């Protein structure tokens, strides 16, 4: 037997396949949404970026539980397709599509205005939508586009819907951050697109840090209102977030992802856990890992003084225009 024969021996093939399966299974969370019996009949939920990936699976889960679900999407075509799919799969016709472009404060305000006019209550808000790998661009509001979309837009939206949520309490706000926040930095000039390096996920990492910081401050401000606010890490998921990366990079990520990343459905689990599980009732100002365990975020994300400052700056930036 030559060394090549040994290398190609079926034992290797079988053990590699087994290893891959074990690694894949390990990526699954410990909490199973299908085993959770929470019903959401009579409850209203908003999921941003619900037309694809994780957001679509979160919306699908809420619709299965009987909630009135509003899909907040940017693209009408893709949103309509998701709406049709979710209605068909769940038999829940109380699912609706409202368009919103989170990178535009004007669009966020119009969306929020419509919600406040049309909805009597709001029990769940999932800030899922996010972008990664966008090239540098300044929005009409004067903000860097990834910051506008991933942080300032959802921040503003949440604040505009707070009174409705308080009057609907108990209510839950879930914001999708990422383990990437650990590599993020806080530099307030970033909001305006200054001092930023555009290398792969650098900007994304910063925005995900701001997500946790402001969610924690929001939780403090909401103390005693019955509205909770938490951040989650969905896991490393190959989703549409990658759509702005070069084709070669997407292929590579997809290949690696097949074995080592979560599927969008698995990526939705920690958010669903945070939004509907009995176990998370009343928990606020916390950060959940992708396996649904409570973990500590990076030190910067736990700095209370920084959080007060960040929240105030974001309030000022979003209130002006
Ligand atoms: C962003 O965060 C991820 C995950 O922590 C890390 O692997 C990556 O290197 C970070 N990117 C930059 C440019 O810091
Ligand atoms: C960019 O970062 C440097 C170093 O942190 C800081 O001194 C400078 O003021 C920043 N630029 C702007 C425009 O804020
Ligand atoms: C909420 O208020 C209670 C009592 O005033 C306090 O013990 C608790 O730490 C507060 N929680 C947060 C998240 O601020």
């Amino acid at each position: 037997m030559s060394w090549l024969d040994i290398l190609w021996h079926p034992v290797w093939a079988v053990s590699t396949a087994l290893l891959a399966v074990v690694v894949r299974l390990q990526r699954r969370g410990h909490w199973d949404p299908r085993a959770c019996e929470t019903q959401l009949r009579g409850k209203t939920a908003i999921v941003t970026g619900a037309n694809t990936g994780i957001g679509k699976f979160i919306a699908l889960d809420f619709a299965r539980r009987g909630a009135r679900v509003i899909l907040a999407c940017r693209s009408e075509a893709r949103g309509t397709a998701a709406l049709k799919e979710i209605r068909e799969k769940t038999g829940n016709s109380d699912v609706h599509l409202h368009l919103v472009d989170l990178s535009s404060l004007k669009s966020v305000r119009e969306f929020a205005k419509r919600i406040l006019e049309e909805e009597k209550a709001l029990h769940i808000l999932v800030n899922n939508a996010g972008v990664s790998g966008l090239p540098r661009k300044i929005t009409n509001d004067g903000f860097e586009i990834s910051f506008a979309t991933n942080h300032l837009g959802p921040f503003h939206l949440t604040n505009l819907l707070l009174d409705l949520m308080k009057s609907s309490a108990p209510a839950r706000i879930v914001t999708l951050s990422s383990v990437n926040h650990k590599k993020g930095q806080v530099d307030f000039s970033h909001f305006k697109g200054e001092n930023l390096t555009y290398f792969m996920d650098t900007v994304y990492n910063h925005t995900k840090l701001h997500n946790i910081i402001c969610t924690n401050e929001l939780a403090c401000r909401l103390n005693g209102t019955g509205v909770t606010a938490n951040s989650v890490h969905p896991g490393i998921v190959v989703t549409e977030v990658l759509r702005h990366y070069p084709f070669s990079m997407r292929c590579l990520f997809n290949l690696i992802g097949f074995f080592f990343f979560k599927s969008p459905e698995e990526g939705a689990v920690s958010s669903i856990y945070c939004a509907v599980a009995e176990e998370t009732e009343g928990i606020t100002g916390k950060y959940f890992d992708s396996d649904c365990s409570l973990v500590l975020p990076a030190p910067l994300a736990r700095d209370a003084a920084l959080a007060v400052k960040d929240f105030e700056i974001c309030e000022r930036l979003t209130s002006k225009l």
Side-chain angles (χ1 to χ4, degrees):
M1 237 207 264
S2 77
W3 65 271
L4 248 181
D5 289 329
I6 295 174
L7 198 67
W8 289 113
H9 198 276
V11 165
W12 290 113
V14 170
S15 46
T16 309
L18 273 178
L19 182 68
V21 169
V22 169
V23 168
R24 197 76 192 75
L25 285 179
Q26 276 217 326
R27 302 275 129 184
R28 290 187 163 273
H30 304 301
W31 182 79
D32 183 0
R34 282 161 302 188
C36 165
E37 286 170 3
T38 304
Q39 287 299 313
L40 297 176
R41 256 174 230 109
K43 307 276 185 197
T44 302
I46 295 178
V47 182
T48 67
N51 58 307
T52 182
I54 298 173
K56 188 164 82 183
F57 283 102
I58 297 172
L60 202 56
D61 179 278
F62 294 169
R64 277 209 183 98
R65 296 177 197 277
R68 171 176 171 79
V69 186
I70 292 159
L71 315 178
C73 305
R74 193 166 59 99
S75 153
E76 180 156 23
R78 285 145 52 104
T80 307
L83 176 69
K84 191 163 166 277
E85 183 187 333
I86 295 172
R87 281 184 175 174
E88 270 168 15
K89 280 194 173 149
T90 62
N92 183 344
S93 56
D94 201 8
V95 182
H96 309 273
L97 171 69
H98 288 4
L99 297 183
V100 62
D101 175 359
L102 287 164
S103 73
S104 154
L105 294 183
K106 180 165 169 276
S107 174
V108 167
R109 280 190 201 117
E110 281 165 6
F111 173 88
K113 185 164 174 274
R114 182 170 171 199
I115 296 293
L116 297 179
E117 279 167 7
E118 295 177 3
E119 304 302 326
K120 291 182 288 292
L122 178 60
H123 306 92
I124 301 174
L125 169 63
V126 181
N127 291 310
N128 156 73
V131 291
S132 175
L134 284 186
R136 184 186 163 87
K137 188 187 159 202
I138 302 299
T139 65
N140 291 337
D141 300 324
F143 301 122
E144 196 281 332
I145 187 144
S146 299
F147 273 91
T149 314
N150 293 3
H151 182 59
L152 293 170
F155 173 88
H156 195 38
L157 177 66
T158 305
N159 282 322
L160 292 173
L161 299 176
L162 272 190
D163 285 340
L164 180 61
M165 295 196 83
K166 284 183 196 163
S167 67
S168 317
R172 306 189 192 187
I173 299 164
V174 180
T175 298
L176 275 79
S177 175
S178 167
V179 68
N180 283 33
H181 80 272
K182 293 185 178 174
K183 290 283 160 64
Q185 286 152 12
V186 175
D187 175 340
F188 296 110
S189 70
H190 285 167
F191 292 133
K192 303 272 187 187
E194 288 153 18
N195 266 352
L196 278 169
T197 326
Y198 285 80
F199 172 69
M200 286 190 48
D201 48 8
T202 333
V203 181
Y204 179 77
N205 291 1
H206 299 325
T207 63
K208 293 291 122 180
L209 176 59
H210 284 281
N211 285 152
I212 305 186
I213 293 177
C214 286
T215 302
N216 288 348
E217 172 58 17
L218 179 64
C220 290
R221 292 182 177 213
L222 286 172
N223 199 359
T225 62
V227 184
T228 62
N230 294 292
S231 325
V232 304
H233 168 48
I236 306 297
V237 179
V238 180
T239 64
E240 291 277 306
V241 144
L242 289 175
R243 69 179 175 272
H244 302 289
Y245 282 93
F247 180 71
S248 55
M249 205 93 93
R250 286 202 312 265
C251 287
L252 181 68
F253 273 120
N254 279 308
L255 187 68
I256 304 172
F258 180 74
F259 291 115
F260 296 106
F261 296 168
K262 284 176 181 266
S263 68
E265 187 171 11
E266 290 163 346
V269 171
S270 55
S271 303
I272 298 169
Y273 177 69
C274 204
V276 310
E278 256 174 52
E279 296 94 313
T280 51
E281 193 180 336
I283 294 180
T284 192
K286 299 283 190 260
Y287 171 67
F288 291 86
D289 205 348
S290 57
D291 66 358
C292 298
S293 58
L294 259 179
V295 288
L296 281 180
L300 273 178
R302 287 181 271 140
D303 182 331
L306 180 67
V308 170
K309 187 173 171 199
D310 197 0
F311 201 97
E312 279 171 2
I313 288 176
C314 293
E315 262 184 326
R316 215 164 43 233
L317 290 176
T318 52
S319 67
K320 253 191 218 153
L321 302 148

